[in-house]
Amino acid sequence: MKALVLEQQDKATLAEVKEIALPDMAAGDVLVDISWSGLNYKDALAITGKGKIIRQFPMVPGIDFAGHVSRSNDPRFSVGQSVILTGWGVGETHWGGLAEQACVKGDWLVALPEGLAARNAMIIGTAGFTAMLCVMALEEAGVTPESGTVVVTGASGGVGSTAVALLHTLGYTVAAVTGRESTHAYLRKLGASEILSRDDFAETRPLEKQVWAGAVDTVGDKVLAKLLAQTNYGGCVAACGLAGGFNLPTTVMPFILRNVRLQGVDSVSVPAERRAAVWERLLNTLPEDFYQQAATEITLEQVPAVAADFLNNKIQGRTLVKIG
Ligand code: NDP
C-alpha cells in the first residue's frame, strides 16, 4: 500500500510517500481501506519533527481517517461498512491514516453515523470532534446562550473554526480571537459576531473586567491566562490546545474569587459511548454550508509541505487528504 512514511536520520524526521506492507492482522483487528484522512496540528508536529509526538520509527502518521472495512477480525464490523477513527494513539504509536489502508483495533473504530458522508466526517475530523467536546464541556458547566458571550481562540484553525460554527448554530453569541486579519471575513461567515486580535491577549492581570460566559481555548499560555482573568463569575473555560505554547502563567484568583472552572478537554481516549454521542451531535448541529467553506483538499504527496504551513500559522479551517 502507498503511505506517508516517517523515518529518523541524524535526529531529523524525514517524510516520504512510499510503498510499504502492513503488519499481519491480529485478533480484534480491522483492516480499513481509507478514503479520506485529515491533517491536524498534532500531525504537523509529528511530520515536521517539531514536536516529540513519535518515538518509534518508521511510523505512518495520521491521527484520523474515514473509510470502508476491507477485512475484519471483530464481529462488530463487517466488510464494506463505513467507519471513522480519531485518536487512540493512531498515527503516534500505531500506524495511522495517511495511507491507503490502516489495520486498527475494532475498539477504536466508530461506525459512520447514517446521514454523514465520509468526506464530511473528515472535514470534522479530530479537530471538529474536539470542538464539540469543548462545547459539551461548557454546556455541562451550565453555560447557556443566555449566559453571555463565548470566546474562541485560535479561531481560524481546525478546532477553532468548528467551535465558532457549532456555538453560533446552537444560539450562542460568539467572539473570535485570531492573529490574522485575513481570516476575519471567514470567521464572520462561520458566525462570529465580534473579532479580537491575538495581540490584545499578550498581557494580563490576575483579575480583569468580566466579559466571557465561557471560552474554548486552543492556544494556551498567556492567551489562556487572560481568558481566565476575564471569565464571568461561575463561567467555564474549556482548554484543549497549545498552539501558542504549553505554559499557563496564571494565578489562583479566577478560581477562588470568581468560581471560574478550567475544564481540560482530551479527544484521544474518550470512551466509545461518548464518542458515538459526540458524532451524532456533530451531525445534527453543523449546517450544510459549514462543509462547503471549512475545508481545503490536498493529496498525500502535498502533506509534508502543508504540515510545515500548519506551524507557520498559514492554515485556515480544516485540511482534508484525499486518499481512495
Ligand atoms: P490549527 O493549526 O488548525 O489551528 C491553530 C490555530 O491557533 C491557528 O489557526 C491560529 O489561529 C492559532 N495560532 C497558531 N499559532 C499561534 C501562536 N503562536 N500563538 C497563538 N495562536 C496561534 O490546529 P488545530 O485546530 O488542529 O489544533 C489546535 C490546537 O488544539 C493544537 O494545539 C492542537 O494540538 C490542539 N488539539 C488538542 C486536542 C485534544 O485532544 N486536546 C485535539 C485536537 C487539537 P489564528 O490564526 O486564528 O490566530
Side-chain angles (χ1 to χ4, degrees):
M1 65 150 188
K2 193 165 84 164
L4 181 70
V5 181
L6 301 184
E7 275 162 314
Q8 212 173 32
Q9 222 174 60
D10 302 329
K11 292 194 175 160
T13 302
L14 307 178
E16 200 185 339
V17 176
K18 284 185 182 175
E19 285 291 330
I20 52 163
L22 274 170
D24 290 340
M25 287 174 75
D29 278 355
V30 177
L31 183 67
V32 180
D33 288 336
I34 297 172
S35 37
W36 299 97
S37 195
L39 203 58
N40 297 274
Y41 192 86
K42 197 187 256 182
D43 296 317
L45 288 173
I47 293 162
T48 58
K50 293 267 162 62
K52 286 228 177 313
I53 306 293
I54 290 168
R55 290 167 201 279
Q56 256 178 304
F57 295 87
M59 178 57 64
V60 176
I63 65 169
D64 51 21
F65 62 78
H68 297 96
V69 173
S70 166
R71 279 168 60 196
S72 177
N73 287 345
D74 182 322
R76 292 168 296 178
F77 296 98
S78 51
V79 172
Q81 187 176 354
S82 298
V83 288
I84 39 182
L85 181 141
T86 66
W88 296 119
V90 171
E92 298 180 59
T93 54
H94 188 96
W95 286 10
L98 288 166
E100 286 174 332
Q101 290 187 313
C103 178
V104 296
K105 299 267 162 263
D107 285 345
W108 300 342
L109 290 169
V110 173
L112 184 73
E114 207 169 313
L116 183 62
R119 187 176 187 277
N120 287 353
M122 272 308 105
I123 292 178
I124 296 170
T126 299
F129 182 77
T130 307
M132 185 47 110
L133 286 171
C134 290
V135 170
M136 287 164 77
L138 297 184
E139 290 174 342
E140 285 155 14
V143 179
T144 67
E146 291 69 42
S147 308
T149 303
V150 172
V151 62
V152 177
T153 64
S156 50
V159 178
S161 56
T162 319
V164 170
L166 286 170
L167 288 162
H168 171 69
T169 310
L170 291 167
Y172 289 87
T173 304
V174 187
V177 180
T178 181
R180 292 178 285 171
E181 262 189 46
S182 58
T183 67
H184 286 198
Y186 172 62
L187 291 169
R188 289 208 187 276
K189 260 196 187 164
L190 290 175
S193 47
E194 189 184 343
I195 299 180
L196 295 109
S197 166
R198 193 195 295 163
D199 293 342
D200 298 344
F201 287 72
E203 296 303 328
T204 186
R205 296 189 304 276
L207 288 174
E208 299 193 9
K209 188 173 166 222
Q210 299 178 47
V211 228
W212 314 119
V216 173
D217 179 57
T218 71
V219 169
D221 210 316
K222 288 179 179 170
V223 172
L224 177 53
K226 184 127 182 147
L227 292 179
L228 290 166
Q230 292 185 334
T231 297
N232 292 352
Y233 188 94
C236 176
V237 177
C240 71
L242 42 53
F246 59 72
N247 290 322
L248 179 50
T250 189
T251 72
V252 297
M253 294 310 195
F255 310 113
I256 65 172
L257 295 180
R258 292 202 181 143
N259 224 60
V260 166
R261 183 191 295 195
L262 174 57
Q263 179 63 55
V265 173
D266 162 68
S267 68
V268 175
S269 307
V270 178
E273 208 173 304
R274 186 160 167 94
R275 268 177 200 271
V278 172
W279 278 106
E280 214 46 58
R281 276 209 70 192
L282 282 159
L283 168 63
N284 294 330
T285 309
L286 282 170
E288 200 44 48
D289 63 355
F290 170 77
Y291 300 106
Q292 275 130 39
Q293 55 193 1
T296 307
E297 204 175 296
I298 63 168
T299 63
L300 200 53
E301 285 73 15
Q302 289 172 291
V303 166
V306 178
D309 287 346
F310 261 86
L311 302 184
N312 293 321
N313 197 192
K314 287 188 184 154
I315 299 294
Q316 177 176 301
R318 288 280 294 153
T319 305
L320 264 188
V321 187
K322 186 169 173 32
I323 310 267

